[in-house]
């Protein structure tokens, strides 16, 4: 049975720390140690469920027009909206049945779909 392990996203040189702050401060990932041979070109982040986001520093990075990373979030939507706004990240919100979805782009221009099903307890 397949299980999700990680997504690898490109970031232009010089944006890796800002991108990392988005992952940690806005989305709640924690930074991981990277093997020494990758330290100059990669950053790794992990969620509490063990899934990861890897960042590859890419001088030719071009964000995809439609491709995106979708994650479920435990945080209350209002809290997440506040964090996005404080980070200067624009977003749009949509409702789909009992689901609230926030769409945004991270500092490197990678697209995200932040999903919050109704009825799950907020983190905290």
């Amino acid at each position: 049975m397949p299980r999700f392990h990680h997504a690898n996203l490109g970031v232009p040189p010089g944006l890796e720390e800002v991108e990392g702050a988005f992952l940690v401060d806005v989305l709640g990932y924690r930074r991981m140690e990277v093997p020494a041979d990758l330290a100059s070109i990669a950053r790794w982040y992990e969620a509490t469920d063990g899934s990861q986001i890897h960042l590859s520093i890419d001088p030719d990075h071009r964000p995809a027009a439609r491709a995106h990373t979708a994650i479920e979030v435990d945080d209350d939507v209002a809290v997440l909206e506040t964090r996005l706004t404080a980070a200067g990240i624009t977003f749009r919100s949509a409702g789909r049945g009992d689901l609230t979805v926030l769409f945004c782009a991270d500092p490197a221009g990678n697209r995200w779909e932040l999903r919050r099903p109704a009825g799950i307890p907020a983190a905290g």
Side-chain angles (χ1 to χ4, degrees):
M1 169 190 284
R3 287 188 330 235
F4 179 77
H5 184 268
H6 75 270
N8 186 51
L9 303 175
V11 295
L15 280 185
E16 58 271 16
E17 296 306 319
V18 174
E19 187 77 9
F22 170 78
L23 293 171
V24 172
D25 299 336
V26 176
L27 299 183
Y29 285 85
R30 67 175 178 81
R31 188 164 177 177
M32 301 173 61
E33 291 297 319
V34 178
D37 60 324
L38 299 177
S40 66
I41 59 168
R43 304 289 185 277
W44 293 355
Y45 299 84
E46 186 173 53
T48 56
D49 70 355
S51 63
Q52 299 175 9
I53 299 294
H54 294 182
L55 302 179
S56 291
I57 300 167
D58 179 4
D60 298 320
H61 176 64
R62 286 178 183 73
R66 293 279 181 212
H68 62 276
T69 302
I71 61 171
E72 266 189 11
V73 295
D74 291 337
D75 294 312
D76 182 81
V77 172
V79 170
L80 191 53
E81 289 175 341
T82 298
R83 278 195 248 138
L84 287 165
T85 300
I89 304 287
T90 59
F91 61 90
R92 70 179 174 84
S93 180
R96 299 206 170 129
D98 65 346
L99 180 69
T100 300
V101 181
L102 301 177
F103 298 97
C104 67
D106 64 27
N110 300 306
R111 296 165 49 94
W112 286 81
E113 179 179 325
L114 312 175
R115 304 168 60 85
R116 172 78 165 118
I120 63 170

